[in-house]
Amino acid sequence: MEKEEIFEDLRRAVVDLDEEGGKRAAVKLIEAKISPIQGVEEGLSKGMGIIGERFNKSEIYLPEMMMAADVFHSVMEILKPHISAESLDKAKRGTVVIGTVKGDIHAIGKDIVAMLLETAGFTVHNLGVDVATSTFIEEARKVKADIIGLSSLLTTTMPSQKDVIDILKETGERDKYTILIGGAPTSQDWADEIGADGYGETAERAVSFALELVKKRIA
Ligand code: B12
């Protein structure tokens, strides 16, 4: 079976809320030795994008969006054990505190980023969703984080990413941490505007960014 066909099956499974079909496609992907990360990015995530567009046009409603998220999670359970960074040596590369900002309960993208950072050798403290600004800062201090990752999926919660940075500036701690932001409505422009160090459009990009930053620190 062609790679593209499997990606299409994964996309369709999310869009059609077809959990069994999604699991079958995931198994085929693994058997065909296709990168599971590519399966997530080219298959499942694209399917979620279509779900988002349909929700926007009121073609589907919240229950369908929740069911699509459930399909995503179930299929991820099959892919997760195969997502490993064998090519990367596992020396600890740094500590990351990551979460979805206050008022926002979107977890999927943030969890993928957390998982890939972990497989790339980072120690990851995943604070979950709806995380208070003060919690990000307290946890970062407590675990002596190198990187703070802030996820926001709603335009209304994006300002909370800025709040974290502003408070760190006020307390004189801004330079202690590398701040990465992400989530569908965010952008490089927004990262520049609020003074974040980086913007990760995809989880893969987030990881390569984190690795580049670590290299720079060591150099
Ligand atoms: C699934 C989903 C839900 C699920 C979430 C389930 C869960 N456990 O996560 C549920 C049903 C709960 C939900 C609820 C709501 N949702 Co919703 N949701 C979505 C949907 C369809 C997909 C999001 C997703 O999981 N994508 C797949 C992942 C893999 O992609 P991702 O999150 O973008 O993450 C990738 C990158 O952004 C990046 N990344 C993400 N985080 C981070 C962090 C860092 C540090 C870095 C570097 C990178 C990074 O890497 C990830 C992997 O590649 C989007 C549509 C969309 N296009 O995004 C709407 C969407 C985000 N939701 C929307 C809305 C409006 C809502 C609700 C307000 C609906 C309502 N009326 O109640 C509520 C809000 C609840 C709240 N307070 O948070 C809107 C937001 C509109 C806006 N502009 O603000 C969207 C865009 C849909 C739409 N088109 O209208 N939602």
Side-chain angles (χ1 to χ4, degrees), residues 10 13 34-35 54 64 68 86 106 116 119 184 193 209:
L10 287 168
I34 299 164
S35 148
R54 292 197 179 167
E64 285 94 337
E86 276 148 24
H106 293 86
L116 291 194
T119 52
E193 192 181 324
F209 213 149

Side-chain angles (χ1 to χ4, degrees), residues 127-146:
L127 307 183
V129 296
D130 190 19
V131 178
T133 301
S134 56
T135 307
F136 277 110
I137 296 172
E138 283 157 17
E139 284 297 316
R141 282 181 190 143
K142 195 166 100 193
V143 303
K144 298 193 171 33
D146 302 292

Side-chain angles (χ1 to χ4, degrees), residues 40-41 44-45 48-56 62 65-69 72-73 98-99 103-110 112-113 129 148-157 180-186 198-206:
V40 174
E41 301 284 7
L44 298 176
S45 296
M48 270 303 195
I50 298 170
I51 286 286
E53 282 161 26
R54 292 197 179 167
F55 177 78
N56 230 356
L62 201 55
M65 203 149 78
M66 290 167 83
M67 284 157 76
F72 197 113
H73 275 301
I98 189 168
D104 198 323
I105 61 163
H106 293 86
I108 298 172
K110 179 261 304 167
I112 294 174
V113 174
V129 296
I148 302 177
L150 304 167
S151 183
S152 163
L153 266 287
L154 299 171
T155 42
T156 49
T157 60
L180 289 182
I181 64 155
T186 63
Y199 155 67
E201 192 177 0
T202 64
E204 275 177 307
R205 183 71 202 108

Side-chain angles (χ1 to χ4, degrees), residues 57-78:
K57 292 188 207 149
S58 300
E59 290 171 6
I60 58 163
Y61 297 96
L62 201 55
E64 285 94 337
M65 203 149 78
M66 290 167 83
M67 284 157 76
D70 286 345
V71 171
F72 197 113
H73 275 301
S74 304
V75 179
M76 272 308 287
E77 287 308 311
I78 296 181

